[in-house]
Amino acid sequence: MKDIRRKVRRTQTIVPFGVGGIIDLRGESFVAADIRSWPLAVEGIESPRLAKKLRVDGFRSAPVIPSGKAAFVTRVGPVYVRFPGWLFCPQCRHMQYWGKGQEIRDKSPSCKRCAGEPQLAPMRFIQVCRAGHMADIDWRRWAHSKSEEHAQRQCRVRRLRFIASPDSSGLEALLVVCVACRAGRNLLGISQKNSLRQIGQQCTGNHPWRIDANGSEPCEEPPRAVQRGASNVYFPITHSAIDIPAPVGSPQEEGIMRKVAENKLWPHYVSAVGGPGSDALAAAIAEQCDVSTEFVKSVYRREVEEVSATSQGDPGDDLSIAEWSAFSAPESVSGSKTFSVRRTGLGLDGDVPASMEELNKAISAVVVADRVREVRALEGFSRYEPHSGDDEDGEGGRFVSVDTLGRANWLPAVETYGEGVFIAVDEQRLRTWELLPDVRDRARRIERDLEASFKADRLRGKTGPSLLPRFVMLHTLAHHFIRQLSYDSGYNAASLRERVYARSHEPGRSHPPQAGVFIYTAAGDAEGTLGGLVRQGQAPYLAETLIRLLESAQWCSQDPLCADSTGRSLANLNRAACHACTLLPETCCEIDNSLLDRTLLIGDGQVPGFFGGIVRAALEESAEAVDPR
């Protein structure tokens, strides 16, 4: 017996088949309805930090059908509505509008005219608008839009055929023809900007799952015809947070921490953090309190960063500050079942090659995460253009909430468990590199393109008020790290994700500087616990991986076009970065494959890269190995 059950994985209910997204299943096409259609019996997900940022009470996850029980379950998951409604028979080519009343449980739409009742196929084109609405194209209007005879212009019959002509190719070979009056028009030019407005078609102001409701709203946005599977049909707006438990300690540790914070040198150390004298002050406090220098720094991270983040009330900063603090001082968090991290190193002590020695100086900390928990929530979506993050009158697509009526106080989410590797670079070396005129000038040119982009407001949530050279460099490092790990660790690149910690802060704030990346697994199944990342994050594998990724970053099959680029990708937000060398699947990157530049990573003839010295040393060592003379 044919299995026609339609299944969606739990993680796919957030991305890519979350509210408003289109999914194709066995020749059928559906769109996910908003969260008002979700069943009441759903599993709650705890993530206080993310809930505070998004200003909701909590999160809920789609229920899972028990193994072997799918045939006995009526409806426990999110609702998916058939879309588009216009279907056609692949044999007789007759078109039919399939309404909700024609649906039969566990049965696909079929053609009753043809022998064998073949399954109907959905039409390829639909209409969307910048306000987030989506609907079927009025194919009757399209077929009669170029009619010359009076009878054809007055025809109101909706009996249509979708014909593929062998006399031409492309969209010109596809015609929608009226069966009654023989009027017809091919699809050539349907994707043009005003093609639907020219035939008198307006936006319906509705969503496919509200087609029978009285909730349509007036919409003045022009409808645009797009292919059903086009990338600009659906831009999900998601947020994620690593589950960072509160630091815990014994009463004795709490007493020592108070002793450190009450030391007479403590105020001077707090004001000097990030400066040249901070290490000396930390060492003096450690000697007076009989603790380690690292313990003094961990007290600062716990007592100062968290208080400043809370008092200043910046929800955009909260997530990165707490995560950076936890990764920078992994010993401050212990006993957690969802966040297990430990400090390691490159293992480059003793007599090592010059390239390894330079790498050891550039990397200040390595932390492997044996177990991390990530909560990913879907806030809404936009269509035709990505949401810019500002008000409705701004550029970009308009934000549409997962609850189109705006009454729900929760968001759909999914939690995943996995592992990861955190790498921090030396702050002093990084700051010296950022002050170089050529480096600052290159980052300034990228920032000018960022300011002119409709994505500026959304990307500022990751970069901070100003774009630092370290952000572009570390973001590029994260991409090449993922590409290299996909070869070394056995993970698929699409199952890995990045978190870049290089955010700038408003002047006058006491947040510490950030300079690191965290690469972790993003899959919600067995690929989340293979152990490959933890192994690669330990000596001697990590150092070798970093050297290999820096060497591979020098070459691109698109060079010299890629290396000499003055602006690539959407809104010219990339420089020396393309699909052949740097870009990753969309699930990997947290800022849409933007703000990338290999030049800031490894350098060129004019701009020095942060890791340029390591690359040069590695090349010299390779040359000596080939020709010892």
Side-chain angles (χ1 to χ4, degrees):
M1 182 176 179
K2 184 180 179 181
D3 183 8
I4 48 80
R5 291 173 296 179
R6 298 139 182 150
K7 304 174 184 178
V8 177
R9 296 175 60 183
R10 173 183 277 184
T11 55
Q12 293 176 330
T13 61
I14 304 302
V15 175
F17 308 131
V19 174
I22 294 179
I23 177 175
D24 289 320
L25 288 174
R26 302 183 179 183
E28 299 180 275
S29 179
F30 303 90
V31 61
D34 65 5
I35 59 175
R36 291 179 297 136
S37 65
W38 282 43
L40 297 178
V42 293
E43 179 182 347
I45 294 180
E46 295 293 332
S47 183
R49 295 169 54 246
L50 187 58
K52 179 182 177 182
K53 175 183 178 180
L54 300 179
R55 297 180 176 87
V56 294
D57 294 342
F59 306 97
R60 301 180 187 179
S61 181
V64 176
I65 299 177
S67 178
K69 302 293 184 180
F72 307 99
V73 176
T74 55
R75 183 184 69 82
V76 297
V79 171
Y80 285 78
V81 179
R82 187 178 303 281
F83 180 81
W86 275 106
L87 312 175
F88 70 93
C89 175
Q91 293 185 13
C92 68
R93 312 298 293 187
H94 275 85
M95 296 175 59
Q96 181 178 354
Y97 186 82
W98 197 266
K100 181 179 179 181
Q102 297 172 274
E103 292 286 350
I104 302 176
R105 177 178 169 81
D106 294 338
K107 190 172 183 181
S108 304
S110 59
C111 179
K112 306 301 181 182
R113 295 184 177 89
C114 301
E117 298 186 357
Q119 179 178 314
L120 299 178
M123 291 294 290
R124 182 187 305 179
F125 285 89
I126 59 175
Q127 73 173 43
V128 299
C129 78
R130 290 178 65 250
H133 302 124
M134 183 169 67
D136 279 271
I137 293 176
D138 189 343
W139 293 112
R140 186 206 62 80
R141 187 189 295 268
W142 179 266
H144 294 83
S145 59
K146 288 193 173 181
S147 302
E148 298 180 356
E149 300 180 5
H150 177 74
Q152 292 179 337
R153 292 196 298 268
Q154 298 298 319
C155 180
R156 293 294 180 266
V157 177
R158 295 197 353 165
R159 294 174 56 198
L160 306 172
R161 294 185 68 200
F162 184 50
I163 300 175
S165 173
D167 300 331
S168 55
S169 60
L171 295 179
E172 190 177 2
L174 302 177
L175 299 92
V176 179
V177 179
C178 177
V179 176
C181 67
R182 310 305 300 172
R185 181 179 177 181
N186 61 39
L187 301 188
L188 185 65
I190 192 172
S191 298
Q192 294 180 359
K193 185 175 181 179
N194 294 318
S195 61
L196 298 183
R197 174 169 282 188
Q198 291 172 355
I199 65 174
Q201 187 161 345
Q202 302 294 326
C203 178
T204 62
N206 216 333
H207 304 284
W209 57 87
R210 294 172 57 183
I211 199 68
D212 296 328
N214 296 323
S216 60
E217 56 188 32
C219 181
E220 300 298 329
E221 290 288 341
R224 316 286 177 88
V226 296
Q227 293 199 51
R228 190 181 72 251
S231 59
N232 62 345
V233 170
Y234 182 60
F235 295 99
I237 301 174
T238 60
H239 304 269
S240 67
I242 300 293
D243 188 9
I244 305 295
V248 295
S250 64
Q252 182 180 3
E253 290 177 341
E254 294 291 339
I256 299 175
M257 293 179 67
R258 285 196 300 270
K259 182 180 179 181
V260 170
E262 293 172 359
N263 188 280
K264 62 181 180 180
L265 296 177
W266 180 255
H268 302 284
Y269 170 67
V270 171
S271 60
V273 168
S278 61
D279 291 339
L281 287 170
I285 296 174
E287 183 178 357
Q288 295 178 14
C289 298
D290 194 21
V291 295
S292 65
T293 303
E294 186 57 40
F295 185 84
V296 175
K297 295 180 179 180
S298 68
V299 173
Y300 171 81
R301 297 186 188 101
R302 176 176 176 180
E303 298 295 331
V304 177
E305 296 176 14
E306 295 297 331
V307 172
S308 63
T310 303
S311 61
Q312 292 165 3
D314 189 348
D317 272 357
D318 287 345
L319 301 183
S320 67
I321 288 178
E323 293 172 10
W324 171 258
S325 176
F327 286 121
S328 300
E331 58 277 353
S332 65
V333 182
S334 60
S336 173
K337 296 181 179 180
T338 61
F339 188 76
S340 176
V341 294
R342 51 190 170 91
R343 189 184 299 273
T344 61
L346 295 177
L348 299 179
D349 299 330
D351 187 17
V352 295
S355 60
M356 293 292 186
E357 185 177 349
E358 286 293 317
L359 180 65
N360 198 28
K361 294 177 181 178
I363 303 299
S364 61
V366 178
V367 176
V368 294
D370 296 290
R371 184 174 176 83
V372 291
R373 173 179 175 264
E374 181 197 30
V375 175
R376 200 176 311 159
L378 176 65
E379 185 182 16
F381 63 90
S382 64
R383 301 200 190 278
Y384 197 71
E385 293 176 350
H387 180 56
S388 61
D390 50 13
D391 56 25
E392 294 183 356
D393 296 330
E395 298 179 0
R398 189 177 304 172
F399 171 78
V400 180
S401 173
V402 291
D403 179 12
T404 51
L405 294 182
R407 298 174 181 174
N409 57 356
W410 60 274
L411 293 176
V414 64
E415 60 181 355
T416 57
Y417 292 87
E419 56 180 342
V421 180
F422 171 81
I423 297 176
V425 301
D426 185 76
E427 176 62 30
Q428 193 61 43
R429 292 170 65 95
L430 186 61
R431 185 170 299 182
T432 302
W433 171 76
E434 284 185 311
L435 294 177
L436 297 176
D438 291 333
V439 173
R440 296 175 60 185
D441 182 65
R442 191 170 182 90
R444 194 178 298 114
R445 291 198 296 267
I446 299 176
E447 187 167 22
R448 283 198 295 265
D449 290 333
L450 175 60
E451 287 296 329
S453 169
F454 64 89
K455 301 169 62 176
D457 289 343
R458 189 160 61 89
L459 294 182
R460 289 298 187 193
K462 297 293 184 181
T463 67
S466 61
L467 177 65
L468 301 177
R470 67 177 66 191
F471 186 94
V472 180
M473 186 274 293
L474 288 171
H475 188 207
T476 309
L477 173 65
H479 276 233
H480 284 272
F481 197 12
I482 289 177
R483 292 170 73 98
Q484 190 64 43
L485 285 173
S486 67
Y487 301 129
D488 297 344
S489 66
Y491 280 103
N492 188 317
S495 67
L496 301 178
R497 283 176 63 87
E498 66 175 9
R499 297 184 86 83
V500 180
Y501 300 100
R503 181 186 176 90
S504 62
H505 303 294
E506 295 287 350
R509 297 200 170 186
S510 58
H511 300 315
Q514 300 177 358
V517 296
F518 180 52
I519 308 301
Y520 62 103
T521 54
D525 54 9
E527 278 215 26
T529 55
L530 291 179
L533 287 191
V534 171
R535 179 179 182 273
Q536 292 301 129
Q538 299 177 355
Y541 307 108
L542 181 58
E544 297 173 356
T545 298
L546 292 175
I547 292 294
R548 282 197 297 269
L549 75 87
L550 292 175
E551 290 177 336
S552 65
Q554 301 175 90
W555 313 107
C556 175
S557 60
Q558 299 294 328
D559 283 339
L561 295 179
C562 177
D564 298 338
S565 173
T566 58
R568 301 177 70 92
S569 78
L570 190 63
N572 294 327
L573 295 180
N574 290 339
R575 290 301 185 264
C578 68
H579 284 285
C581 61
T582 306
L583 302 191
L584 293 172
E586 293 182 1
T587 56
C588 301
C589 183
E590 58 181 355
I591 54 172
D592 307 328
N593 276 320
S594 301
L595 305 179
L596 296 163
D597 185 10
R598 285 185 296 133
T599 300
L600 291 179
L601 181 67
I602 59 174
D604 59 9
Q606 298 178 345
V607 181
F610 181 76
F611 292 98
I614 300 173
V615 174
R616 288 191 296 271
L619 290 177
E620 292 175 0
E621 293 165 3
S622 299
E624 292 178 359
V626 174
D627 187 2
R629 293 177 300 176

